[in-house]
Amino acid sequence: MVGFEVGSVPFNPDGWGPPESSSPSLSVPNHPSNVPFAPFSRSEKLGRIADWTRSITNQGRPGSKQGHHASDSAFDFSGDDSFATLAADEDSSFRLVDTSAKSHYQNNQNRPKFNPRWRFNPHHQRSQLPQRRDEEVEAKKREAEKERARRDRLYHNNRSQMPQRRESAVFKSSVDIQPEWNMLDQIPFSTFSKLSFSVPEPEDLLICGGLEFYDRAYDRITPKNSRPLERFKNRNFFKVTTTDDPVIRRLANEDKATVFATDTILSTLMCAPRSVYSWDIVIQRVGNKLFFDKRDGSQLDLLSVHETSQEPLPDVKDDINSAYSLSVEAAYINQNFSQQVLIRDGNKVAFEESNPFANEGEEVASVAYRYRRWKLDNDMHLVSRCEVQSVVEVSKQKSFLTLNALNEFDPKYSGVDWRQKLETQRGAVLATELKNNANKLAKWTAQALLAGADMMKLGYVSRVHPRDHFNHVILAVVGYKPRDFATQINLNTSNMWGIVKSIVDLCMKLNEGKYVLVKDPSKPQVRIYEVPPDAFENDYVEEPLPEEEQVQPPAEDADNAEANTTTEGVEEKENSSEAA
């Protein structure tokens, strides 16, 4: 059986700890003499608890607290040179940080000069920080500068082919302001944003014209199976102003309303705060009635392109991408698109009266004119001629449609390629169009609301090639409900009618005569001028389209036209000889 032997425990009558005796009975084998005990491993937690025989020698040690009690030194072995342990070595190397500016600078002389604390500290003066930058940091900076220079070079190369920013573009007034005109008022657009007016539901006084049914197959068109845009040269489109409309004249004679206009003119007024280009509306006060007209050949007959874009269009009128050329192109695209997406089988929806502007036997475009009346006040009503282009049968009920087309002329102006984005990112394409053509889309939405259309169809039409402005393709057709789309583009109907009501109230205070409302070409404001009664009557000369914009007839038609011209010339010569 293994036994356990308890060693002898010596007694020290003279003090604490084992007695100071070198007797053989107290010695330990293999233990050096006169060596104090000290742990040689960090994991050992053995050591002396207290030593009352030590003298107090650390009161003057730097860093010692003032008022240090003498009894505390019995438990402090940090200054004992004989207690040479690893912890003592670490304690002896410890120094308190001096927070004074001088010692702070001196103590940090050996710091790396590229330390982030020193590099980005704004509270130190540059004279106190001698810079010695690291080579790796310098190399990264040189690479970043090279990359920045490369991007700037590419940016300027691309910008060299583009015109200047929209802020530097100078627009012309839509009408020449004559010196004899008298400016009566100037209205900034900022006042329009605060207006609000609610109107009750309108009533239909008369519907004229005829509508063809919409072809639903165009809803399934994608950029991969696009269809070429056709040209409808035999169908006539009419852009008749208010006072030239025989139906409006008849309604005015019957005192059906006090104010008369068209949907194009009303939408221009309603969306005036979004407009950038200059436009003008002729106002005639006749008795107690007010007529809003447009001039012959007015800018209102065309469609603006990239009006609200930050990238201006070329100023040269002959350029195919100039504002005027694109407006003409957009108008033709819009007309042809509105007729191509119909089922042209001769089946039409006829209304009370035929087209009031067409001659007998003349082929006209599919359009219906709804003459609608709104109540503005107890003794004031407004009548407007509103257009719808098609009809569709839904649940055995006929719904009216408006048809309009957005056109892409060059992807580098918009930054979005329709052929790549329409299928996967149609929302991004629409958002870009809302940014670049905010006024045009708002006017189309306002016209659809005025006409009471149940659906508005937007077509995406693009050029076959960016430099070919004759041939186009239909990439997609999307339908929206007018009220939902108005909410999406932040078009407030109450604000729209508030603008119309304020302008009507202002004009009703004027004397009888002719006036013109002009959008300032460079400022967001409109001006009202008093003009002579014969203004705008004899100053219109129709400008022929440039030869490259004219639709070239086929070879056979050209030969027939040339033969007819020759025959007419011969007949004129014979008639002149007979007269002689």
Side-chain angles (χ1 to χ4, degrees):
M1 182 175 180
V2 179
F4 178 74
E5 181 180 356
V6 178
S8 61
V9 179
F11 175 72
N12 185 7
D14 300 327
W16 295 89
E20 296 180 0
S21 173
S22 58
S23 61
S25 61
L26 296 179
S27 62
V28 180
N30 301 327
H31 189 279
S33 60
N34 299 324
V35 177
F37 173 78
F40 291 94
S41 176
R42 292 178 182 269
S43 60
E44 295 183 7
K45 303 300 182 182
L46 302 177
R48 287 176 293 180
I49 299 176
D51 188 359
W52 300 98
T53 61
R54 295 175 64 250
S55 61
I56 303 174
T57 58
N58 59 345
Q59 290 185 358
R61 183 171 54 89
S64 62
K65 295 181 181 180
Q66 297 295 332
H68 193 278
H69 198 270
S71 62
D72 294 341
S73 62
F75 304 94
D76 186 11
F77 301 99
S78 59
D80 192 354
D81 296 335
S82 64
F83 194 51
T85 63
L86 296 176
D89 293 337
E90 292 179 358
D91 292 341
S92 63
S93 64
F94 176 78
R95 294 292 184 272
L96 292 178
V97 178
D98 191 356
T99 57
S100 62
K102 180 178 179 180
S103 61
H104 184 76
Y105 177 75
Q106 291 175 351
N107 292 337
N108 290 278
Q109 281 292 318
N110 297 325
R111 279 179 171 269
K113 297 304 183 292
F114 50 87
N115 190 286
R117 177 183 175 186
W118 286 97
R119 184 184 302 163
F120 300 107
N121 194 344
H123 301 290
H124 295 280
Q125 298 180 0
R126 294 183 180 272
S127 59
Q128 294 178 335
L129 303 177
Q131 299 293 328
R132 190 188 64 183
R133 299 180 178 178
D134 186 75
E135 293 183 0
E136 183 179 355
V137 177
E138 285 293 327
K140 289 183 179 180
K141 285 189 175 183
R142 286 195 297 270
E143 291 295 328
E145 290 176 359
K146 289 181 181 179
E147 179 67 19
R148 191 182 304 110
R150 188 184 66 84
R151 288 198 303 265
D152 293 343
R153 191 163 55 251
L154 291 176
Y155 175 77
H156 289 299
N157 290 340
N158 294 334
R159 292 287 294 175
S160 62
Q161 303 176 1
M162 299 286 290
Q164 297 299 318
R165 298 290 296 175
R166 171 57 61 97
E167 289 79 8
S168 61
V170 179
F171 303 113
K172 296 181 180 179
S173 177
S174 60
V175 62
D176 294 332
I177 308 299
Q178 303 299 324
E180 62 269 16
W181 293 3
N182 181 24
M183 189 182 76
L184 302 179
D185 202 352
Q186 183 171 288
I187 309 172
F189 284 164
S190 58
T191 60
F192 286 164
S193 60
K194 306 174 184 177
L195 301 176
S196 179
F197 183 74
S198 299
V199 295
E201 288 296 322
E203 58 175 324
D204 284 334
L205 301 180
L206 186 65
I207 303 180
C208 304
L211 293 176
E212 294 178 335
F213 286 91
Y214 173 73
D215 189 356
R216 296 178 183 270
Y218 281 88
D219 291 338
R220 298 186 292 272
I221 287 183
T222 62
K224 294 181 180 179
N225 61 347
S226 59
R227 296 193 185 183
L229 184 68
E230 302 176 14
R231 297 174 182 171
F232 295 84
K233 296 178 289 185
N234 297 327
R235 293 195 172 190
N236 293 325
F237 301 84
F238 303 97
K239 302 292 183 183
V240 182
T241 186
T242 307
T243 52
D244 292 341
D245 189 336
V247 178
I248 287 185
R249 289 185 176 184
R250 187 175 71 200
L251 296 175
N253 292 332
E254 296 174 359
D255 287 334
K256 294 291 185 181
T258 311
V259 185
F260 298 89
T262 65
D263 58 347
T264 303
I265 296 174
L266 284 182
S267 63
T268 302
L269 293 176
M270 290 176 169
C271 306
R274 301 179 184 233
S275 61
V276 176
Y277 295 157
S278 178
W279 46 265
D280 60 275
I281 296 174
V282 180
I283 304 170
Q284 297 190 60
R285 175 76 189 277
V286 181
N288 65 335
K289 293 182 172 57
L290 200 63
F291 296 89
F292 288 90
D293 277 316
K294 65 178 183 62
R295 295 181 296 108
D296 291 334
S298 170
Q299 191 72 19
L300 301 183
D301 292 336
L302 304 177
L303 296 176
S304 63
V305 179
H306 266 228
E307 179 178 0
T308 56
S309 172
Q310 292 299 319
E311 298 294 341
L313 301 173
D315 295 333
V316 183
K317 188 175 181 180
D318 296 336
D319 194 304
I320 64 172
N321 291 335
S322 66
Y324 175 76
S325 300
L326 288 175
S327 297
V328 175
E329 181 184 352
Y332 284 142
I333 290 174
N334 201 63
Q335 290 179 355
N336 293 327
F337 172 80
S338 66
Q339 303 305 303
Q340 181 173 344
V341 296
L342 306 176
I343 302 175
R344 300 183 297 276
D345 57 356
N347 185 17
K348 281 190 175 184
V349 178
F351 296 99
E352 305 168 22
E353 297 184 12
S354 60
N355 194 313
F357 314 119
N359 298 324
E360 187 176 355
E362 184 180 9
E363 185 179 1
V364 297
S366 171
V367 63
Y369 301 104
R370 302 183 70 179
Y371 293 87
R372 316 187 81 193
R373 180 170 64 180
W374 287 266
K375 183 178 180 181
L376 299 182
D377 207 343
N378 292 331
D379 54 352
M380 184 185 299
H381 290 79
L382 181 145
V383 168
S384 175
R385 183 189 74 222
C386 307
E387 297 182 14
V388 290
Q389 286 78 33
S390 180
V391 66
V392 65
E393 190 170 344
V394 179
S395 301
K396 297 182 180 179
Q397 292 184 351
K398 294 180 174 61
S399 302
F400 292 123
L401 303 179
T402 59
L403 304 173
N404 300 103
L406 296 165
N407 61 306
E408 180 191 40
F409 57 97
D410 197 337
K412 76 177 183 180
Y413 280 89
S414 62
V416 177
D417 192 346
W418 287 6
R419 287 173 171 82
Q420 298 178 2
K421 301 293 185 180
L422 265 178
E423 270 193 295
T424 58
Q425 300 180 10
R426 183 171 294 176
V429 175
L430 180 60
T432 305
E433 289 301 305
L434 287 173
K435 182 185 69 172
N436 297 334
N437 298 287
N439 187 35
K440 179 170 65 175
L441 284 166
K443 288 169 66 175
W444 286 346
T445 308
Q447 292 173 18
L449 292 172
L450 290 172
D454 301 288
M455 185 73 67
M456 52 183 295
K457 294 286 186 179
L458 289 181
Y460 293 87
V461 180
S462 177
R463 290 178 180 175
V464 175
H465 188 272
R467 300 304 300 174
D468 182 8
H469 62 292
F470 289 116
N471 302 305
H472 304 81
V473 291
I474 303 175
L475 301 178
V477 180
V478 186
Y480 300 95
K481 291 184 178 180
R483 291 193 179 276
D484 296 343
F485 194 72
T487 304
Q488 182 177 350
I489 66 175
N490 198 22
L491 187 64
N492 190 348
T493 55
S494 298
N495 178 250
M496 288 161 41
W497 282 107
I499 296 173
V500 173
K501 183 67 165 57
S502 65
I503 294 178
V504 168
D505 292 341
L506 178 64
C507 295
M508 291 300 289
K509 298 177 183 178
L510 303 175
N511 299 325
E512 289 193 37
K514 183 180 285 190
Y515 306 88
V516 61
L517 184 70
V518 182
K519 157 69 172 64
D520 191 285
S522 57
K523 298 179 181 178
Q525 62 185 11
V526 291
R527 295 190 179 99
I528 298 180
Y529 294 90
E530 184 179 6
V531 299
D534 58 348
F536 315 121
E537 292 182 359
N538 302 319
D539 60 344
Y540 173 66
V541 177
E542 185 175 359
E543 294 184 3
L545 290 175
E547 185 177 354
E548 64 272 7
E549 294 186 8
Q550 296 179 4
V551 178
Q552 301 297 333
E556 296 180 358
D557 296 345
D559 296 340
N560 295 335
E562 186 176 352
N564 294 336
T565 305
T566 307
T567 305
E568 292 175 358
V570 173
E571 291 178 355
E572 289 180 358
K573 289 182 180 179
E574 291 178 354
N575 294 336
S576 61
S577 61
E578 290 178 0

